Amino acid sequence: MSTPRKLVEVRDLKMHFPIRGGLLRRIVGAVKAVDGVTFDILEGETLGLVGESGCGKSTCGRALLRLYEVSGGSILIEGADIAEASPEELRRMRPKMQMVFQDPQASLNPRMTVARIIGEPLLEHTSLSKAEREERVYELMDQVGLNRAFANRYPDAFSGGQRQRIGIARALALNPRFIVCDEPIAALDVSIQAQVVNLLEDLQDKLGLTYLFISHDLSMVRHIADRVAVMYLGKIVELAPREPLYSAPLHPYTQALLSAVPDPDPAIAARRQRTILTGDVPSPANPPKGCNFCTRCPQVMDICRSVDPEFREVAPGRFAACHLLDDTVSASGHGPGRGAQDQKTNQQGSMT
Ligand SMILES: Nc1ncnc2c1ncn2[C@@H]1O[C@H](COP(=O)(O)OP(=O)(O)O)[C@@H](O)[C@H]1O
Ligand SMILES: [Mg+2]
């Protein structure tokens, strides 16, 4: 089998939001929402992006589509740097990459009919005739399982799941290659979440789509993603293919996150101990010195409080940023990487 092509290449991406203060509204600091992330997304794959609320997932997804002016780094999409693209280049790149939002209610204009919402990108980016546009809208409605007869209704007339289908149809209108799905099912009833996930998976197979699938729901990501990136306080701490990430996480933060999720494999579930993280997530405006996770890590070492660990390939295809995985550290007397037994654990506890 040939190695899949990289569709998206992100290098040291930073998105800092300025904080203004005082009478003159001068810049007094920055929220480092995304603070130097590096990863690839392979053609046709689903890369899951997980982490607690506020860790920078949405900002990362939006920055990838240049919905923000990024603060640093590069984003190559099919080789072209979108972070540097001119408005004209950006307009040409737009159709190839789209976003499906968390809240279909908020992202659909309530005064536009479904046909207009889905057809708007066609109006903006193509020279299709009115009849051709109408035909394409019907085709898109079929593709996402919406009844054509409802084309002239308004979003209010639809259920949450149907509204998300409208959002997906709109995202598909221009035949994108790459879609950022930002918590696409988080606002939906549990009973219809699976339907929307199945639809996204079917569309991926049929249309050869590549997804960045953002979610705080680790079980859902395990179901849908080929590889998973774990974010904490603006950085990716671990990235690995799904199976090894869930069965043998390397980073203490991933271990803690997963210890709070029930494992479908009883053998793994029995072996697993719950890790309690104490303390709050530090503010992204004032991250700790050294490793961002050092204030809450159950296995923190001295070096973690002064040196930010490098995000690097620690085993083939597995990336992590942690001094516990640093050979030179263990060799120089800080002790070998400790196993799960040494972690502070509590059978009843949960992550705080
Ligand atoms: N437009 C913005 N201006 C200032 N701060 C922002 C903005 N958007 C997000 N943030 C901050 O950036 C951090 C990451 O937010 P976000 O990317 O929404 O996280 P997540 O999607 O993982 O919950 C949070 O601290 C949030 O308050
Ligand atoms: Mg978010």
Side-chain angles (χ1 to χ4, degrees):
M1 210 178 80
S2 62
T3 25
R5 228 160 49 91
K6 293 170 183 173
L7 187 70
V8 181
E9 293 170 72
V10 179
R11 295 292 173 270
D12 202 25
L13 177 67
K14 293 187 176 131
M15 186 62 227
H16 295 178
F17 297 107
I19 304 170
R20 292 172 189 277
L23 278 178
L24 300 175
R25 311 288 304 147
R26 269 199 287 257
I27 294 176
V28 294
V31 178
K32 296 172 181 167
V34 175
D35 200 22
V37 299
T38 292
F39 59 95
D40 297 327
I41 307 178
L42 307 178
E43 185 146 36
E45 81 167 340
T46 297
L47 178 69
L49 182 60
V50 302
E52 290 161 289
S53 171
C55 70
K57 303 181 297 296
S58 293
T59 305
C60 183
R62 290 167 155 269
L64 246 55
L65 300 187
R66 225 345 247 280
L67 300 178
Y68 295 129
E69 290 301 317
V70 304
S71 316
S74 64
I75 306 157
L76 299 187
I77 299 194
E78 294 191 299
D81 191 349
I82 187 170
E84 298 279 319
S86 69
E88 185 43 44
E89 287 166 331
L90 202 54
R91 202 184 127 74
R92 258 184 285 124
M93 292 167 88
R94 280 264 172 258
K96 292 281 146 229
M97 34 191 221
Q98 295 291 321
M99 187 140 181
V100 171
F101 295 92
Q102 166 166 3
D103 186 356
Q105 173 78 356
S107 62
L108 303 178
N109 186 335
R111 283 180 297 276
M112 278 164 58
T113 63
V114 169
R116 257 194 80 195
I117 291 172
I118 299 174
E120 206 181 30
L122 300 170
L123 197 59
E124 179 133 339
H125 283 273
T126 71
S127 49
L128 295 181
S129 69
K130 190 162 181 286
E132 288 167 333
R133 276 204 311 274
E134 197 171 83
E135 193 42 44
R136 175 74 178 135
V137 166
Y138 284 145
E139 192 180 287
L140 288 159
M141 291 184 75
D142 294 346
Q143 247 172 8
V144 301
L146 284 169
N147 189 333
R148 287 179 178 209
F150 299 158
N152 290 317
R153 298 204 185 173
Y154 292 85
D156 270 354
F158 294 87
S159 69
Q162 287 171 324
R163 279 200 289 262
Q164 194 55 293
R165 288 172 196 266
I166 301 171
I168 294 169
R170 179 181 56 185
L172 292 177
L174 298 169
N175 296 312
R177 307 283 314 281
F178 173 51
I179 301 184
V180 173
C181 304
D182 188 1
E183 310 246 12
I185 54 163
L188 306 178
D189 283 351
V190 175
S191 58
I192 50 171
Q193 286 183 344
Q195 293 172 16
V196 173
V197 167
N198 290 342
L199 172 65
L200 287 168
E201 288 186 304
D202 287 349
L203 291 168
Q204 178 170 45
D205 288 346
K206 273 190 214 130
L207 306 172
L209 299 168
T210 302
Y211 290 149
L212 177 68
F213 192 93
I214 298 173
S215 178
H216 65 272
D217 181 342
L218 282 112
S219 312
M220 188 52 76
V221 169
R222 179 177 201 162
H223 172 80
I224 197 169
D226 301 298
R227 296 189 305 143
V228 179
V230 181
M231 245 182 129
Y232 181 80
L233 200 61
K235 294 183 189 277
I236 293 179
V237 297
E238 180 164 3
L239 191 160
R242 165 184 57 189
E243 283 317 321
L245 186 110
Y246 280 81
S247 58
L250 295 177
H251 195 286
Y253 179 64
T254 316
Q255 292 166 1
L257 266 188
L258 286 175
S259 78
V261 180
D263 197 290
D265 180 341
I268 292 178
R271 256 186 286 133
R272 182 176 280 167
Q273 293 175 296
R274 295 193 87 165
T275 307
I276 304 210
L277 293 181
T278 49
D280 295 329
V281 183
S283 160
N286 188 21
K289 190 170 180 314
C291 175
N292 270 2
F293 190 49
C294 74
T295 56
R296 298 172 80 206
C297 182
Q299 293 170 267
V300 65
M301 305 179 291
D302 284 345
I303 187 175
C304 309
R305 297 197 174 88
S306 55
V307 181
D308 189 10
E310 190 194 346
F311 180 72
R312 62 188 183 88
E313 191 164 16
V314 293
R318 300 201 64 171
F319 298 81
C322 179
H323 290 303
L324 290 167
L325 306 167
D326 210 333
D327 301 332
T328 54
V329 172
S330 17
S332 67
H334 289 272
R338 279 163 285 174
Q341 309 86 287
D342 292 350
Q343 291 176 31
K344 273 190 214 132
T345 53
N346 176 319
Q347 299 301 328
Q348 278 89 45
S350 63
M351 267 182 54
T352 49

